[in-house]
Amino acid sequence: MSEETKSLNFIEHIIEEDLANGLSKDKLRFRFPPEPNGYLHIGHTKAIGISFGLGETYGAPVNLRFDDTNPAKEEQEYVDAIKRDIAWLGYKWENELYSSDYFQKLYDWAIQMIKDGKAYVDSQSSEVIAKQKGTPTQVGTNGPYRNRSVEENLDLFQGMKAGEFPAGTHILRAKIDMEDPNMLMRDPMMYRIMYANHHRTGDEWCIYPMYDWTHGESDYLEQISHSLCSLEFKPHRKLYDWFKEHVYAYSKDKLPLPPKQREFARLNLSYTIMSKRKLLRLVEDGVVTGWDDPRMPTISGLRRRGYTPNSIRQFIEKVGVAKRENVIDVSLLEFCIREDLNKSANRVMAVLDPIKVVITNYPEDKEEWLEAENNQEDDSAGFRKVPFSREIYIEKEDFKEEAGNKFFRLKLGGEVRLKNAYIIKANSVVKDDKGEVTEIHCTYDEDTSKKVKGTLHWVSIRHAISVEVREYDRLFSHEAPDSNKEKSFMEFINPNSLKVRTGYLEPSLAEVKVGEQFQFQRLGYFNVDDDSKPDALVFNKTVGLRDSWAKQKPKPQNNNQNKNKQQSQQQRSAISVIQQFGKKYTNLPEEKQLKVKADIQELSKSVSYDELEPLFGTAVKKAGTRIAVMISLKILLKNGLERNNTINEFIEKALEDKNEILVTEASEI
RNA sequence: UGGCCUAUGGUGUAACUGGCAACACAUUGGUUUUUGGUACCAAAGAGUCUAGGUUCGAUCCCUAGUGGGCCAACCA
């Protein structure tokens, strides 16, 4: 019944199955539950994209729930930032909720658990409790307070709530099984005493529920049908379900739907870190200017850098959803932003590393305003005028006194087109006393119909506006900066991740506003930074253009890779390839079978009898493999191998087989 | 007494109920081009971790290995 074979991910399969088993579609409900202890980053967009995306595809509500059970780390600033980021991505939540909304309900349920003998107050120190928990390979042991009476537990727990005890003196634990192989089931903590001001509940509470006790119950209260989280919560599922069963028993009538937790692999990006704690460190240590530094993988950083909501959503879609650990290459993200901006960003001319060009046959006092197309990808984008005059800037990189004919740019005696203007020819250069070229003297030709290889961008010096341009490189020089066991991620920080310089722009950009995006032709996509002021513009480089010219130069790495590939291919022995072919053989259509047969025959030339013989013993069932062996054997015999008993036996056995192909092959010997 | 996940080209994700392993990025060519961009065309790249088993037939189901990941915060 589903639409045209658009393949589903494993979560969608689960939902489809639940729907098929009678879950009503209007019961579907999802949630995104960030802890307001930091800014959202690109990793979160995967979780956001999954839950909100599911909401969109099924027309189901998605709650935004702040998991605010640890007042020591959480702040209103983060709540605001998170809301802003999700809204910016273009997602709409059904309700804005807080785990702290449920503190009373959770407390009431905890009281019931105590009354049922399912929870108890432990009064040992955290060190002792940790010791009793055992290790993953060693069972835990029961503590001395495990069998306190219900009355005593009740009294103590109410005292905890009333603020009668100092922090750390008592905790409430669920009474499950200290010997469970899953450590989370070894009497997990439900409440701790904490005298901290909560950003929403203030000083109302001095006991705060732990994640495990809060999360599933919040899902349940909101009647979330599918609670999606990342893989590291898989071990928590057993506990999630244990708690769920108890509260379900208490409130089944009012809250009929028990939620389901399912886990997916989180997103990892090469050359970046994804831990809020570590990102906070970068901010606090001043490595970056803030959570929204354009080098940060935070949503606000990406936004400031010039990434669009659409590009990020595209990225998340392309990344997919599964359960295995993954590292996504940043090039995919870059592809997505280029693809988006290519369609939407107007083209302009800017020179970032200037060298002066004097057009000697152009009158000194003359200027012309030439027409330039804003965006050839967008017919509605229109045209603008750019000024041309005798003295212009081009990029230093675009000129060489001498160069081979693979260099399409300007060289002495060579011609090149100035984008939107004339064709110029370089005649001579002016050098300073160090021998550096300071000026290039050219003549121009009004005939623009001529074919020339290169087209350069440029700006008229007299008309250009100068601005600050910030170019970024990756923040870390290591592919996986936080995976090294000995070195801290801080040691891999790229000291040259920010490069600031002055750029010269065509005057049409004089009035730009913060956030506007452009393609600086031949250079990349740039946007106007938040720091920008009308008289002191600041641009960020979002991403460069694909540059197949730059790639031509150095590539030692590729060679290495190729070598490795070739080696591993060579190492794969002919016999194992034949075996592989055999596995599939009987399954192939006739045409392909012939081809594979030819391949096997070819490969057999480099197979020795000693390699082949062990395969004679292949199980009778594996007809394909035996056929492949038979084909191979035929070649060996043809090439002078002498028959022996083992061979004869193998052939005879094959002749009696029920597989016709095998019989045919055997009888041909 | 350890438990639970997981394994498909360089990367990521598919392959529906077992039936010729597909798509995207990256790579390499080519065509077009007033961006060495875009667009278009093409090529190359895995035979699905290993060993068994079930089956006419296994990436898919079963068993056992091996590799990787997660779990021992009064964090979430």
Side-chain angles (χ1 to χ4, degrees), chain A residues 536-556:
Chain A
L537 298 177
V538 181
F539 283 81
N540 295 310
K541 182 174 183 176
T542 306
V543 67
L545 259 25
R546 257 187 87 215
D547 189 351
S548 49
W549 166 244
K551 281 175 197 155
Q552 298 219 344
K553 302 164 202 170
K555 46 175 161 181

Side-chain angles (χ1 to χ4, degrees), chain A residues 362 366-370 386-389 422 444 446 458 463:
Chain A
Y362 196 89
K366 186 176 174 184
E367 69 171 39
E368 282 177 276
W369 289 76
L370 305 167
V386 293
F388 186 76
S389 67
Y422 306 110
Y444 86 108
E446 291 212 346
W458 53 276
H463 302 88

Side-chain angles (χ1 to χ4, degrees), chain A residues 423-643:
Chain A
I423 289 173
I424 57 170
K425 180 176 180 181
N427 303 308
S428 62
V429 293
V430 177
K431 294 184 182 175
D432 61 15
D433 38 8
K434 278 180 236 148
E436 296 271 316
V437 176
T438 54
E439 270 180 36
I440 307 162
H441 286 195
C442 298
T443 47
Y444 86 108
D445 187 345
E446 291 212 346
D447 175 20
T448 60
S449 63
K450 222 188 302 184
K451 280 247 173 207
V452 289
K453 269 275 178 121
T455 301
L456 306 186
H457 62 277
W458 53 276
V459 291
S460 163
I461 297 178
R462 184 155 33 113
H463 302 88
I465 53 175
S466 43
V467 303
E468 179 178 334
V469 175
R470 299 175 182 169
E471 292 179 272
Y472 306 101
D473 197 357
R474 45 179 67 120
L475 242 186
F476 295 96
S477 52
H478 193 277
E479 201 173 27
D482 55 357
S483 70
N484 194 303
K485 294 224 163 66
E486 282 122 51
K487 288 185 178 175
S488 154
F489 70 102
M490 296 295 279
E491 290 182 49
F492 296 112
I493 288 173
N494 173 7
N496 304 314
S497 57
L498 171 64
K499 186 170 170 187
V500 180
R501 57 175 158 194
T502 303
Y504 300 89
L505 317 193
E506 58 170 81
S508 70
L509 289 166
E511 306 287 316
V512 294
K513 301 206 169 48
V514 168
E516 278 191 81
Q517 299 183 287
F518 300 93
Q519 183 194 100
F520 290 1
Q521 262 174 133
R522 303 211 301 135
L523 296 176
Y525 296 98
F526 293 75
N527 75 337
V528 183
D529 187 73
D530 296 3
D531 287 345
S532 201
K533 306 233 165 45
D535 53 344
L537 298 177
V538 181
F539 283 81
N540 295 310
K541 182 174 183 176
T542 306
V543 67
L545 259 25
R546 257 187 87 215
D547 189 351
S548 49
W549 166 244
K551 281 175 197 155
Q552 298 219 344
K553 302 164 202 170
K555 46 175 161 181
Q557 258 194 333
N558 270 350
N559 286 341
N560 261 341
Q561 264 180 8
N562 284 343
K563 248 182 231 165
N564 286 342
K565 228 182 266 173
Q566 278 171 7
Q567 262 177 10
S568 67
Q569 262 169 11
Q570 278 168 0
Q571 274 166 5
R572 199 180 154 79
S573 67
I575 189 70
S576 75
V577 176
I578 289 174
Q579 222 179 325
Q580 195 68 51
F581 278 144
K583 276 189 189 176
K584 285 251 167 179
Y585 198 85
T586 56
N587 242 355
L588 299 175
E590 205 172 330
E591 200 181 306
K592 200 148 182 177
Q593 245 175 29
L594 287 174
K595 189 177 163 283
V596 169
K597 184 170 172 178
D599 286 345
I600 294 174
Q601 287 170 334
E602 187 59 36
L603 283 163
S604 303
K605 290 175 187 165
S606 49
V607 167
S608 72
Y609 177 70
D610 290 342
E611 288 176 300
L612 197 62
E613 203 205 70
L615 294 177
F616 289 173
T618 303
V620 184
K621 291 278 165 66
K622 300 209 164 191
T625 306
R626 291 203 294 153
I627 293 168
V629 172
M630 191 64 72
I631 295 168
S632 197
L633 176 62
K634 247 189 283 184
I635 298 294
L636 289 183
L637 288 171
K638 212 163 84 184
N639 290 344
L641 174 71
E642 291 207 8
R643 281 212 187 204

